[in-house]
Amino acid sequence: MIFYMYALRRFGRQIWREPHTVMGASLLMLLLSLPVVTAGLALCAGVQYMHDKERGIGITWRGAVQSVRPCMGKAIAMGIVDLCCLVACVSAVAWLVAGRDFALTLLSTVFLYLALFYLSTALYRYPILVLNPSLPLTQVALCATGIALKNLGYVFLYWCVLLLALMICAVTGVGLVLLLPGASALLMATAWSESLKRDEYKRTNAA
């Protein structure tokens, strides 16, 4: 649990100390996702932008876009699947609210849980794809699922932070555009780096 809290602290500290970096990532992601179907590419570029910042590399929009070119097609495809999953989640919620047929309600509940878990794996899918563009999407999804299952605590915190951010953005309005996309990319980059540190810590202790 200490790793999750440390990652969350890093995430909050970076937003507080460097909001301009998060805003830069947000604007880049918004420009790349103007056709909604390229949302996956926008997420990959945002993750690359924040990852470069974390490593101390000079960050530019052009550099981030060039870095994700090798995985451009896969990123767009994965983003389209995620968008379809979101639409399916909304439909499942609508069926649950209606609640007319017990069997259909039960099926919608099961599907909603599975779909939300799949969306949670985005926390690791996009960083994995950015850093390993040659991997097939099935392997990216399986690897991300395995990491998410081992880090369910962080996945829970991810949803809590995301819901909190949505509430704040709903109140402020402008934050929805200037902070939420970049904060999502930062959360993904932080989650990935912390999961690597956690695995390294376990290997060191086991040795």
Side-chain angles (χ1 to χ4, degrees), residues 97-171:
V97 172
R100 296 173 183 173
D101 188 319
F102 175 76
L104 193 56
T105 300
L106 182 62
L107 189 63
S108 297
T109 303
V110 173
F111 173 79
L112 185 61
Y113 275 111
L114 292 175
L116 287 175
F117 176 75
Y118 172 76
L119 289 174
S120 300
T121 63
L123 193 63
Y124 302 103
R125 277 187 284 117
Y126 288 97
I128 290 173
L129 182 60
V130 166
L131 298 175
N132 304 276
S134 60
L135 286 180
L137 286 181
T138 52
Q139 193 171 344
V140 170
L142 287 173
C143 184
T145 300
I147 297 173
L149 287 172
K150 290 191 297 183
N151 297 277
L152 288 175
Y154 196 86
V155 171
F156 175 73
L157 285 176
Y158 164 72
W159 281 110
C160 289
V161 170
L162 190 60
L163 289 173
L164 179 62
L166 284 171
M167 290 170 61
I168 294 173
C169 290
V171 174

Side-chain angles (χ1 to χ4, degrees), residues 55-67:
R55 292 189 299 166
I57 300 175
I59 51 174
T60 61
W61 287 5
R62 183 178 181 181
V65 173
Q66 287 179 341
S67 296

